[in-house]
């Protein structure tokens, strides 16, 4: 037996209660049995454990190992700078760990927002007396007194309701106030019953009594809270790729270290020198700047997104949005302006343009009855000069108030409130012509009560031909996606009693529209060009959903797949997944609670899903999606806390702008990788030549570290601030399984740019040695050797300055991008140049890094190599653009 399906007496009996409420003793007993009426708190991870976890993930472990190896290498050869390297790596770990922990700590506050929605105290009947009790002490069987403005503390079954209307938006997602009554409901689920009040909702009109049947975690609100806490946030595509890249680079670094150690042993290098270099090589190939670059890229993207009204709460969501293949979006306020307006009027004399009513005083005078219903038949409240309440009613009042001649009425005598059975409302006013009834509602519920139709020349009987004409007008409005209301009026008798809503005079059909945002069609077109599907999920009528979808260019075909909430409930998970294969699909009359199922089905299909939401019951779907997007203006605190991104303007176009920034993040991390791997290969080649050809070692370990943790660091980080490339929104989303380090990226860095750099460095090394009188096979003087390794180091840095400009795009020319497009990179290159000058020409630089001052001709000699490097890479890009191959 379901409490909402039975009569009041049976409902009270089933809950062990009665009209006088529970006794105090019984209420205390039930409180001890059922527990407090509070949001369930699931034991979460201790803060200290969450903090420690930031320093134990795979990439952090690699950096810890690199630091340990650096400290170990310092033992046999103190003063070589390896200990300094170790401390620098630890600093990188700490900075990134603290930042990541802070982001997760902020996300853990969703439960506090849930708790704030429940009222603190409530009126309850206990032992026949009305008492004010804490909301946490409400128990099943309690009789609650609820009035306008009250928040509902528990799930209740109404036993008395007078003009009661509730705002269920926080739980069910319904944007309009809903009428409630105490009669038994035929609905299967209590969530949809008209005699049920849900915890976390608010009474906006009327008053009533209700018996509590569920508290705390057993309420619909509590179930949502439980889902919000237990739903695990999936790893973002970027997090998965970073994990994979960490393993790849760690494997490469270890393999190179072992191989070169074996090679060194085979050619007879001293054991400790050989081990030191192998460790240095391993440390050098671990990209210590990867995590700072990722963080910087995400942070800069969040700043740019904030300027476009998208506030990012969780940094990985930036890139996840860039990888999105599907965006599930609400309609009202996101695709539309959330501002109803009257756009069509049909009367017994035919169509009537709303603009004429607003501007033509004579016409407004002729249609005073229509304007009177529009102005006075509502349940709105006025605060600080603004109307508050149902947007449709506001639109009607604004139409009447904009007319040159406004209808006037005296005091309101009464109201027959809207309810879902009658689908209409009426108000009773005193006017100059006596008492008048104003009625509005669904045409199918108002027209049958009308016997006449108003015309300025006089009312006429509402005969069958006229009814058919009005029904045709209604059908035409509905086909346009308009919401249609019928307006009627009646002069009431001054004496006697008879039913009010009868013998009405029809005055007009009103078509209302929530117009699309003007920028949305272009945003939808950008999504289409970018290969992103947009799926509308709305609670509106299918005709309205389809009309808006066509207006914004979301659908073009004659028969899109339309799935209503009722049909969705009948579909199995497999059927839903198959339905989602449709090229054009819309969800109408869908509850916000059904979003979670749609998101789960899309994820099962391998899509990267972004979803919008604003209600409490949207929170699980927002967490389930790869990217949850909450509405900043209309969204509840719970939705905002569960989301990754908050739209400050509730505008779909802002999502599309954010997608562009997200795509740039992934691209920029690839640019960083290309830049770093190029210098790593260039550093490895001199050692390979040393081992294979028995030449003096062209580059020392400390000089390698000077590049990796010195000159390279800032330019690499600055590449993370690169603007989105031209055409980034004209390509499809990258496949979720696509790696950061693709074959093209690795080949470009390891087989093209890196070898070119390494060859140039070796050429300058031999050039300097030859200029000093050295020939192959002869021992080299210590001073000359220092000059040679310094030339190698300087050449790599000069080539990396050029490489920083080249890595701004894998396809577009430096000339196309311009030199001022990334001012951070220019500043970083300036610092890089100052660092190499300091390393080469200052006493402390020469002491720490084993360098010698270079004559000017060496710097000049690097220029042909740098220019050739630039020219060859520009040629490669040109060829790639010509054949149309993406990186």
């Amino acid at each position: 037996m379901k409490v909402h399906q039975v009569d009041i007496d049976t409902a009270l009996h089933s809950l062990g209660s009665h009209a006088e409420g529970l006794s105090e003793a019984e209420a205390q007993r039930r409180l001890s049995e059922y527990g407090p009426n509070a949001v369930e708190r699931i034991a979460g991870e201790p803060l200290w454990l969450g903090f420690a976890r930031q320093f134990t993930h795979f990439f952090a472990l690699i950096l810890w190992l690199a630091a340990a190896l650096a400290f170990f290498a310092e033992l046999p050869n103190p003063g070589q700078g390896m200990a300094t390297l170790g401390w620098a790596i630890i600093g990188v770990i700490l900075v990134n760990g603290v930042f990541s922990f802070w982001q997760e700590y902020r996300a853990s506050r969703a439960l506090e927002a849930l708790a704030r929605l429940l009222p603190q105290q409530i009126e309850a009947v206990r032992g026949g007396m009305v008492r004010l009790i804490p909301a946490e002490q409400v128990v099943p069987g309690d009789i609650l007194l609820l009035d306008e403005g009250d928040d509902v503390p528990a799930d209740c079954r109404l036993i008395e309701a007078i003009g009661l209307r509730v705002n269920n938006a926080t739980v069910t997602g319904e944007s309009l106030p809903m009428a409630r009554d105490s009669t038994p409901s035929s609905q299967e689920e209590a969530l949809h019953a008209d005699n049920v009040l849900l915890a976390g909702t608010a009474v906006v009109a009327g008053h009533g009594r209700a018996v509590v049947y569920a508290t705390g975690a057993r309420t619909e609100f509590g179930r949502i809270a439980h889902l919000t806490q237990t739903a695990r946030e999936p790893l973002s595509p970027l997090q998965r790729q970073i994990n994979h890249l960490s393993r790849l680079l760690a494997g490469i670094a270890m393999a190179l270290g072992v191989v070169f150690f074996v090679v060194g042993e085979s050619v007879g290098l001293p054991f400790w020198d050989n081990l030191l270099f192998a460790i240095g090589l391993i440390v050098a190939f671990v990209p210590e700047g990867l995590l700072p670059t990722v963080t910087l890229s995400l942070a800069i993207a969040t700043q740019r997104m904030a300027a476009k009204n998208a506030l990012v709460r969780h940094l990985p969501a930036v890139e996840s949005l860039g990888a999105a293949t599907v965006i599930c979006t609400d309609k009202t306020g996101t695709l539309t302006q959330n501002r109803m307006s009257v756009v069509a009027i049909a009367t017994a004399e035919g169509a009537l343009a709303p603009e004429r009513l607003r501007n033509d005083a004579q016409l407004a005078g002729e249609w005073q009855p229509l304007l009177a219903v529009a102005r006075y038949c509502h349940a709105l409240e006025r605060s600080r000069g603004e109307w508050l309440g149902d947007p449709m009613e506001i639109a009607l009042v604004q139409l009447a108030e904009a007319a040159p001649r406004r209808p006037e009425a005296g005091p309101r005598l009464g109201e027959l409130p809207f309810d879902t059975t009658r689908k209409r409302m009426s108000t009773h006013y005193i006017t100059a012509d006596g008492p008048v009834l104003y009625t509005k509602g669904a045409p199918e519920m108002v027209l049958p009560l009308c016997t006449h139709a108003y015309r300025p020349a006089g009312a006429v009987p509402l005969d069958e031909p006229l009814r058919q004409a009005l029904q045709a007008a209604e059908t035409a409005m509905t086909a346009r996606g308009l919401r249609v209301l019928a307006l009627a009026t009646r002069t009431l008798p001054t004496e006697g009693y008879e039913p009010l809503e009868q013998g009405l005079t029809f005055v007009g059909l009103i078509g209302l529209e929530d117009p699309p945002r003007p920028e949305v069609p272009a945003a939808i077109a950008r999504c289409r060009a970018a290969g992103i599907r947009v799926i509308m999920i709305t609670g509106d009528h299918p005709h309205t959903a389809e009309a808006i979808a066509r207006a914004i260019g979301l659908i073009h075909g004659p028969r899109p797949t339309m799935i209503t909430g009722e049909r969705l409930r009948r579909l199995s998970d497999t059927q839903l997944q198959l339905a989602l294969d449709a090229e054009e699909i819309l969800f109408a009359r869908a509850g916000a609670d059904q979003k979670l199922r749609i998101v789960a089905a899309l994820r099962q299909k391998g899509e990267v899903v972004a979803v919008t939401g604003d209600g409490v019951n949207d929170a699980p779907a927002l967490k389930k999606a790869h990217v949850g997007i909450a509405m900043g203006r209309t969204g509840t605190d719970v939705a905002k806390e569960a989301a990754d991104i908050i739209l400050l303007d509730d505008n779909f176009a802002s999502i599309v702008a954010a997608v562009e920034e997200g795509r740039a993040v992934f691209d920029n991390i690839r640019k960083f990788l290309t830049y770093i791997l190029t210098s790593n290969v260039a550093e490895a080649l001199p050692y390979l030549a040393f081992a294979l050809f028995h030449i003096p070692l062209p580059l020392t370990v400390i000089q390698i570290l000077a590049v990796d943790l010195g000159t390279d660091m800032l330019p690499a980080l600055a590449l993370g601030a690169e603007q989105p490339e031209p055409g980034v929104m004209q390509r499809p989303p990258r496949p979720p399984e696509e790696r950061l380090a693709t074959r093209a990226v690795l080949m470009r860095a390891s087989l093209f740019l890196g070898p070119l750099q390494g060859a140039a460095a070796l050429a300058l090394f031999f050039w300097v040695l030859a200029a000093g009188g050295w020939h192959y096979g002869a021992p080299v003087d210590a001073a000359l050797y220092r000059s040679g390794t310094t030339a190698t180091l300087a050449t790599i840095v000069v080539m990396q300055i050029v490489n920083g400009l080249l890595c701004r795009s894998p396809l577009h020319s430096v000339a196309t991008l311009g030199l001022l497009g990334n001012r951070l990179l220019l500043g970083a290159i300036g610092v890089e140049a100052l660092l190499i000058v300091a390393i080469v020409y200052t006493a402390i630089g020469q002491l720490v890094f084993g360098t010698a001052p270079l004559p000017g001709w060496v710097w000049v000699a690097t220029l042909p190599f740098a220019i050739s490097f630039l020219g060859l890479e520009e040629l490669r890009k040109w060829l790639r653009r010509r054949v149309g191959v993406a990186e």
Side-chain angles (χ1 to χ4, degrees):
M1 178 178 63
K2 297 184 176 180
V3 71
H4 63 281
Q5 294 179 330
V6 297
D7 59 52
I8 293 172
D9 291 338
T10 305
L12 288 170
H13 180 74
S14 68
L15 292 165
S17 186
H18 41 77
E20 289 74 27
L22 303 174
S23 67
E24 191 62 41
E26 176 62 14
Q28 292 303 316
R29 188 195 69 78
R30 294 191 183 192
L31 183 62
S32 63
E33 178 179 351
Y34 293 100
N37 178 41
V39 175
E40 179 186 14
R41 293 182 179 269
I42 297 174
E45 182 181 64
L47 283 179
W48 68 266
L49 188 58
F51 185 74
R53 186 163 43 81
Q54 306 304 323
F55 305 98
T56 55
H57 56 78
F58 187 78
F59 195 75
L61 294 176
I62 292 174
L63 294 181
W64 283 118
L65 176 62
L69 290 174
F71 287 125
F72 176 77
E74 179 78 6
L75 296 177
N77 293 278
Q80 296 297 312
M82 297 300 287
T84 302
L85 169 64
W87 288 116
I89 295 173
I90 290 175
V92 170
I93 299 171
L94 292 176
V95 169
N96 281 280
V98 170
F99 185 84
S100 298
F101 172 74
W102 173 243
Q103 289 294 317
E104 291 196 4
Y105 175 73
R106 290 176 59 198
S108 68
R109 295 182 298 170
L111 187 57
E112 297 175 15
L114 283 166
R116 286 197 297 270
L117 281 181
L118 293 180
Q120 301 303 309
Q121 290 188 313
I122 194 74
E123 284 187 336
V125 179
R126 286 189 176 171
M129 302 289 291
V130 177
R131 297 188 53 196
L132 194 64
I133 65 172
E136 286 195 353
Q137 294 183 15
V138 170
V139 297
D142 261 330
I143 304 296
L144 304 183
L145 305 183
L146 296 162
D147 205 345
E148 181 178 334
D150 287 343
D151 293 325
V152 181
D155 287 355
C156 315
R157 199 279 196 202
L158 280 167
I159 59 177
E160 179 184 317
I162 302 175
L164 195 68
R165 290 157 66 106
V166 294
N167 184 348
N168 285 337
T170 56
V171 177
T172 66
E174 297 165 299
S175 59
L176 301 178
M178 307 300 293
R180 288 293 180 260
D181 58 49
S182 59
T183 58
S185 172
S186 60
Q187 290 285 345
E188 184 66 23
E189 298 295 331
L191 184 67
H192 307 290
D194 293 338
N195 59 7
V196 165
L197 303 180
L198 300 172
T201 62
V203 178
V204 296
H207 58 274
R209 292 189 177 213
V211 59
V212 175
Y213 67 84
T215 60
R218 299 171 183 83
T219 64
E220 184 68 20
F221 187 87
R223 184 186 66 81
I224 294 169
H226 178 85
L227 285 174
T228 302
Q229 295 178 77
T230 56
R232 292 191 60 186
E233 293 188 27
L235 286 178
S236 72
L238 179 61
Q239 289 170 322
R240 292 199 301 272
Q241 292 306 318
I242 292 295
N243 289 344
H244 173 267
L245 182 63
S246 301
R247 290 172 171 81
L248 175 65
L249 295 179
I252 292 175
M254 295 299 294
L256 285 174
V258 171
V259 167
F260 284 132
F261 179 79
V262 171
V263 171
E265 287 294 297
S266 66
V267 298
L269 290 178
F271 175 80
W272 281 110
D273 290 347
N274 193 30
L275 180 63
L276 175 65
F277 196 89
I279 291 174
L281 200 62
I282 291 172
V283 174
F285 259 85
V286 174
E288 294 85 359
L290 178 60
L291 288 183
T293 299
V294 171
T295 301
L296 180 67
S297 297
L298 295 174
I300 290 176
T302 62
Q303 293 175 3
R304 293 202 289 245
M305 288 167 68
K308 298 175 181 177
N309 293 310
L311 180 64
V312 178
R313 297 186 63 252
H314 302 144
L315 286 183
V318 176
E319 191 280 327
S320 297
L321 187 58
T325 59
V326 176
I327 300 175
C328 295
T329 177
D330 297 325
K331 178 186 73 68
T332 303
T334 308
L335 300 176
T336 65
Q337 299 178 27
N338 196 22
R339 180 177 53 82
M340 301 296 292
S341 60
V342 176
V343 296
I345 302 175
T347 71
E349 288 201 335
L352 177 63
E355 294 77 11
R356 292 190 61 196
L357 273 183
R358 298 185 182 102
N359 299 299
D360 189 328
Q362 179 180 347
L363 194 67
E366 292 174 352
W367 290 97
Q368 285 291 288
L370 184 150
L371 294 173
V373 179
R375 187 176 189 186
Y376 294 113
C377 186
H378 62 77
L380 301 173
E381 294 183 7
R382 199 172 184 96
S383 175
R384 298 180 181 179
E386 292 187 4
W387 290 106
L388 304 178
D390 189 330
M392 288 193 296
E393 293 187 336
I394 293 174
L396 291 175
V397 172
Q398 289 174 341
L399 172 70
E401 292 185 341
R405 292 182 60 183
R406 300 181 185 180
E408 298 295 338
R412 179 182 292 201
L413 299 179
E415 174 185 337
L416 296 175
F418 177 89
D419 66 49
T420 53
T421 301
R422 295 168 52 250
K423 293 184 180 179
R424 62 181 182 270
M425 76 169 295
S426 297
T427 55
H428 182 192
Y429 279 84
I430 290 293
T431 71
D433 297 326
V436 175
L437 185 77
Y438 300 125
T439 301
K440 77 170 189 297
E444 66 271 19
M445 303 304 290
V446 173
L447 283 173
L449 302 175
C450 297
T451 58
H452 291 74
Y454 172 80
R455 284 178 174 168
V460 297
L462 187 55
D463 55 21
E464 190 58 30
L466 183 52
R467 288 182 186 274
Q468 291 180 0
L470 293 174
Q471 288 172 354
E474 178 197 355
T475 301
M477 289 185 188
T478 305
R480 291 171 54 189
L482 305 182
R483 293 185 180 182
V484 184
L485 294 174
L487 276 56
T489 185
R490 177 194 178 196
T491 300
L492 298 174
T494 56
E495 296 182 0
Y497 172 80
E498 60 182 55
L500 298 178
E501 294 177 333
Q502 67 174 14
L504 303 179
T505 298
F506 167 82
V507 296
L509 293 175
I510 301 291
L512 298 107
E513 175 187 56
D514 182 6
R517 290 178 179 266
E519 62 272 26
V520 165
I524 294 291
R526 293 189 74 197
C527 284
R528 196 179 297 276
I532 302 171
R533 292 182 68 196
V534 179
I535 298 177
M536 180 197 295
I537 304 174
T538 179
D540 277 335
H541 190 283
H543 288 323
T544 304
E546 183 173 346
I548 290 294
R550 291 194 185 279
I552 62 177
L554 184 57
I555 60 173
H556 297 91
R559 299 185 64 184
T561 299
M562 179 72 69
I563 298 180
T564 63
E566 184 62 32
R567 179 185 170 192
L568 180 57
R569 276 188 282 273
R570 296 195 301 268
L571 293 180
S572 68
D573 291 342
T574 300
Q575 289 172 321
L576 176 57
Q577 284 185 232
L578 291 172
L580 286 166
D581 289 332
E583 184 175 347
E584 295 182 338
I585 185 170
L586 300 172
F587 290 89
R589 292 294 193 216
D593 57 316
Q594 294 177 314
K595 283 184 184 177
L596 179 62
R597 190 174 172 213
I598 297 170
V599 169
L602 287 167
R603 291 199 55 153
Q604 283 293 110
K605 294 175 69 65
E607 305 282 3
V608 178
V609 187
V611 63
T612 68
D614 53 14
V616 171
N617 64 330
D618 287 327
L622 292 171
K623 294 193 74 172
K624 181 71 173 178
H626 293 92
V627 186
I629 305 170
M631 300 298 105
R633 292 180 178 175
T634 60
T636 61
D637 286 345
V638 179
K640 293 174 186 177
E641 291 290 345
D644 305 292
I645 295 174
I646 298 172
L647 288 187
L648 301 179
D649 58 355
D650 294 6
N651 191 344
F652 180 83
S654 297
I655 301 176
V656 181
V659 169
E660 184 176 24
E661 294 295 343
R663 289 189 172 189
V665 169
F666 198 83
D667 292 345
N668 289 347
I669 296 172
R670 276 187 173 164
K671 295 168 187 177
F672 159 84
L673 281 177
T674 304
Y675 181 82
I676 291 297
L677 290 176
T678 297
S679 64
N680 285 350
V681 171
E683 293 159 358
L685 285 179
Y687 184 71
L688 185 60
F690 158 74
L692 295 178
F693 303 114
H694 303 286
I695 60 172
L697 183 61
L699 198 66
T700 66
V701 173
I702 197 65
Q703 289 169 350
I704 288 177
L705 299 178
V707 173
D708 292 342
L709 290 179
T711 58
D712 264 6
M713 185 61 73
L714 287 180
L717 291 173
L719 286 171
E722 196 66 37
Q723 294 277 355
E725 288 193 36
V728 70
M729 292 297 284
Q730 276 73 55
R731 68 188 192 211
R734 61 177 181 81
E737 66 277 4
E738 183 175 312
R739 305 299 187 188
L740 269 168
T742 61
R743 179 179 299 179
V745 170
L746 293 175
M747 290 181 66
R748 180 186 175 205
S750 303
L751 301 181
F752 185 67
L753 297 177
L756 286 177
Q757 238 185 66
L762 286 173
L764 263 295
F765 174 72
F766 290 125
W767 194 343
V768 169
L769 291 189
W774 176 84
H775 60 85
Y776 183 74
V780 60
D781 176 72
L784 181 60
Y785 175 71
R786 288 167 69 95
S787 295
T789 59
T790 304
T792 305
L793 173 64
T795 303
I796 289 176
V797 173
V798 170
M799 300 289 275
Q800 279 294 85
I801 289 175
V802 176
N803 192 34
L805 299 175
L806 293 171
C807 284
R808 290 183 61 200
S809 172
L811 288 176
H812 296 286
S813 168
V814 172
T816 301
L817 296 174
L819 294 178
L820 301 179
N822 188 340
R823 296 181 184 275
L824 281 178
L825 179 61
L826 292 180
I829 288 175
V831 173
E832 183 178 21
L834 292 175
L835 282 175
I836 189 60
V837 168
I839 289 171
V840 173
Y841 292 106
T842 65
I844 188 170
Q846 294 166 6
L847 176 65
V848 172
F849 297 102
T851 57
L854 292 174
W857 69 265
V858 175
W859 296 103
V860 174
T862 64
L863 295 181
F865 292 100
I867 294 171
S868 300
F869 184 65
L870 174 66
L872 289 171
E873 172 61 0
E874 288 287 278
L875 176 63
R876 184 202 68 84
K877 289 183 181 181
W878 178 80
L879 292 173
R880 299 279 286 189
R881 290 195 301 272
R882 188 173 184 183
V883 298
V885 178
E887 196 71 12

